[in-house]
Amino acid sequence: MSEVVDAVRELLPVLRERAQETEDLRKVPAESIESLRQTGFFRLLQPARHGGLESDPLDFYRSVRLISSACGSTGWVSSVLGCHPWQLGLFPAQAQQDVWGEDQDTRISSSYAPMGRATPVDGGFRFSGRWSFSSGCDHASWVFLGGLVLGDDGNPVDFRTFLLPISDYKIEDVWDTVGLRGTGSNDILVDDVFVPEYRTLSFMDTGKCVCPGQEVNTGPLYKLPFASVFSYSIAAPVVGMATGAYESHVSYMQERVRASYGNKAAEDPYSQVRVAEAASDIDAAWLQLEHNIGTAYKHVVAGEKVPFDLRMRIRRDQVKATSRAIGAVDRLFENSGGKALNAGTPIQRFWRDAHAGRVHAINDPERALAMYGKAELGLKVQDAWL
C-alpha cells in the first residue's frame, strides 16, 4: 500500500508544525488523528473483511517512522493505535463484530500490564483493576487491558488480554511528563464489570500463534507472532524520532556559527564525525528492523511458521534498534550547542521523546538480550513477549 505511505509523507509538514501544540495539549490533536485516518493509515493492519487493507507490515512500520520523524508523540500514538486492529483480528469473530460492526474506523487503546484481576463466571469474567500508560486513549472507544485470571484458590491460572467498550471504563487524566508529553497516556479504571469470554485472548494462544481470529482472518498477516508485531510498533517510533532529530540537526548545523570559534559548525571535523556516527546508527537500527520483519512475513506468506531463532532475533534487534537510535539522538544533541536547550526546538523534543520511549517495558534491553543469549547457550526460554 505505497499510496498510504505516500499520503502519510505528504502530511509531515503539518504534523511537524503541530508538534508543539501536541505537547501543550498533552494529547495528539483530533485534527491530526483525522488526517491520518483519511490516509488509510489506521487500516493498514486491519482485516479486509472489516474494511481493512491487510497490508505488508513494512508499509505500516515505514509510515510510523515517517510520522515519528515529524512529531514523536503523534508517531507513538499512531503506532500503538494502528497496531491494535491487527490484534483484534486475532480475537473471536464476535469480538471483531462488536467493535467494527457499526463503524470500521473504531479505534482501540491499550495497557497490557497484568494489573487486572479476573474471576471466572458463567459466560466470561468479572473484571477490575487500574492501568497506566494507555496512549491515545482519548481517541479510542475500546481498550485492551492485561489481566490475570484467578483460580478457585485465588492464584493466577492464565494471563489474558481483555477487550472492553468505553462504557465499562473510566479515563483518569494523569499524564504530565518530561517526554512523549503529547501521547495522552492516561490511566484506565475498571470497577467490577462483566467481560464475555469471547472478548478475551490468552497470551498462551498468542505465543503459539494459534488464535481464534485466524479462523476468519486467514491471511498470512495474522500468523505473525504477537510479540514481534507489537515490539516493533514500539521500536519503530523511536527510530523515527532519531530520524527526525537527525534531519533537524543537519539543517540547523548547516547554518550555525560557533561563537566561541568564529567558524561555521558544518566545517568542524568533530561535528562531521558525530553526524556520520549518528547516521550510521540510525541506518543500522532500521535496516535490521526491516530485514527481520520482512523475513518473518515471507515465512508466513509461504505458509510457514516464523522460526524460533528468528523470533529471538526480532526481539534482540528490536531493543538494539532502540538503543542505537537513542545513542544517535544523544550524539546529535551534544553536537547542537547551548541553543538546543531552548524550549520549542525540535532537537530537545526528540531527545526527550526518545528517552521516554526507551522506558517502555518492551524496550528493556537487558531482558531481551539475556533471553537471546540464554537460547543461544542451549537453555530453555519461556517469556510471554517472545
Side-chain angles (χ1 to χ4, degrees), residues 5-23:
V5 181
D6 291 340
V8 166
R9 186 177 285 107
E10 291 179 4
L11 275 181
L12 299 188
V14 174
L15 299 179
R16 198 173 289 118
E17 288 176 4
R18 288 185 185 147
Q20 187 60 51
E21 177 189 359
T22 302
E23 277 217 334

Side-chain angles (χ1 to χ4, degrees), residues 242-256 258 265 271-272 274-276 278 328-329 331-337 340 346-347 350:
T243 304
Y246 180 84
E247 292 169 349
S248 64
H249 178 76
V250 168
S251 177
Y252 168 64
M253 292 295 283
Q254 288 172 349
E255 303 298 328
R256 181 188 172 205
R258 290 184 181 272
S271 292
Q272 295 161 2
R274 292 177 188 129
V275 166
V329 174
R331 198 169 291 114
L332 296 169
F333 185 76
E334 293 164 2
N335 200 43
S336 294
I347 189 68
F350 284 123

Side-chain angles (χ1 to χ4, degrees), residues 186-222:
N186 289 306
D187 284 7
I188 302 293
L189 283 69
V190 175
D191 184 16
D192 191 30
V193 301
F194 173 72
V195 182
E197 185 168 4
Y198 72 83
R199 285 195 205 147
T200 72
L201 189 65
S202 173
F203 268 91
M204 288 188 286
D205 292 338
T206 58
K208 297 173 183 175
C209 298
V210 178
C211 298
Q214 294 168 342
E215 296 176 8
V216 291
N217 299 317
T218 57
L221 182 61
Y222 303 99

Side-chain angles (χ1 to χ4, degrees), residues 78-382:
S78 299
S79 191
V80 171
L81 296 183
C83 180
H84 291 156
W86 176 84
Q87 186 184 4
L88 183 56
L90 305 180
F91 273 69
Q94 185 58 54
Q96 299 174 50
Q97 182 64 26
D98 287 357
V99 175
W100 288 318
E102 296 183 1
D103 183 1
Q104 294 178 335
D105 287 321
T106 299
R107 287 180 291 272
I108 308 166
S109 68
S110 68
S111 184
Y112 293 107
M115 305 306 293
R117 295 298 180 267
T119 303
V121 294
D122 187 27
F125 305 89
R126 301 302 304 185
F127 192 53
S128 297
R130 182 186 185 111
W131 295 258
S132 298
F133 314 124
S134 188
S135 300
C137 57
D138 290 310
H139 302 292
S141 52
W142 289 75
V143 68
F144 287 133
L145 297 172
L148 299 175
V149 178
L150 305 180
D152 293 338
D153 59 0
N155 291 319
V157 295
D158 196 4
F159 175 18
R160 288 179 174 253
T161 299
F162 294 77
L163 172 65
L164 282 70
I166 197 167
S167 57
D168 283 353
Y169 63 90
K170 294 181 181 179
I171 299 173
E172 186 170 329
D173 186 351
V174 298
W175 190 247
D176 188 7
T177 57
V178 297
L180 292 177
R181 284 185 59 80
T183 61
S185 304
N186 289 306
D187 284 7
I188 302 293
L189 283 69
V190 175
D191 184 16
D192 191 30
V193 301
F194 173 72
V195 182
E197 185 168 4
Y198 72 83
R199 285 195 205 147
T200 72
L201 189 65
S202 173
F203 268 91
M204 288 188 286
D205 292 338
T206 58
K208 297 173 183 175
C209 298
V210 178
C211 298
Q214 294 168 342
E215 296 176 8
V216 291
N217 299 317
T218 57
L221 182 61
Y222 303 99
K223 295 179 174 62
L224 289 168
F226 171 81
S228 301
V229 174
F230 180 74
S231 66
Y232 275 28
S233 73
I234 297 302
V238 180
V239 180
M241 295 168 207
T243 304
Y246 180 84
E247 292 169 349
S248 64
H249 178 76
V250 168
S251 177
Y252 168 64
M253 292 295 283
Q254 288 172 349
E255 303 298 328
R256 181 188 172 205
V257 175
R258 290 184 181 272
S260 54
Y261 298 104
N263 64 335
K264 277 195 167 186
E267 297 170 350
D268 180 355
Y270 302 113
S271 292
Q272 295 161 2
V273 169
R274 292 177 188 129
V275 166
E277 288 178 337
S280 179
D281 282 343
I282 295 168
D283 283 350
W286 189 251
L287 286 169
Q288 282 190 307
L289 293 185
E290 278 199 321
H291 173 71
N292 288 342
I293 203 68
T295 303
Y297 192 57
K298 286 179 182 177
H299 277 289
V300 293
V301 166
E304 304 164 354
K305 287 189 174 182
V306 178
F308 178 78
D309 63 334
L310 177 55
R311 292 173 68 167
M312 296 295 303
R313 195 170 77 231
I314 284 172
R315 288 287 282 117
R316 179 200 71 188
D317 293 342
Q318 172 246 319
V319 296
K320 289 298 293 181
T322 301
S323 298
R324 287 193 179 101
I326 290 174
V329 174
D330 284 347
R331 198 169 291 114
L332 296 169
F333 185 76
E334 293 164 2
N335 200 43
S336 294
K339 287 189 176 181
L341 299 172
N342 290 343
T345 60
I347 189 68
Q348 56 80 32
R349 186 186 306 115
F350 284 123
W351 183 75
R352 289 185 288 107
D353 287 347
H355 279 274
R358 158 62 185 86
V359 299
H360 190 288
I362 205 73
N363 282 332
D364 182 353
E366 288 80 13
R367 184 175 300 278
L369 295 177
M371 187 167 63
Y372 180 86
K374 182 185 290 187
E376 285 291 287
L377 295 171
L379 302 176
K380 188 175 182 180
V381 175
Q382 288 183 310

Side-chain angles (χ1 to χ4, degrees), residues 37-57:
R37 183 196 70 79
Q38 291 178 9
T39 68
F41 168 79
F42 291 115
R43 295 198 184 197
L44 282 171
L45 302 185
Q46 189 163 316
R49 64 190 297 271
H50 285 291
L53 300 174
E54 284 195 31
S55 172
D56 183 318

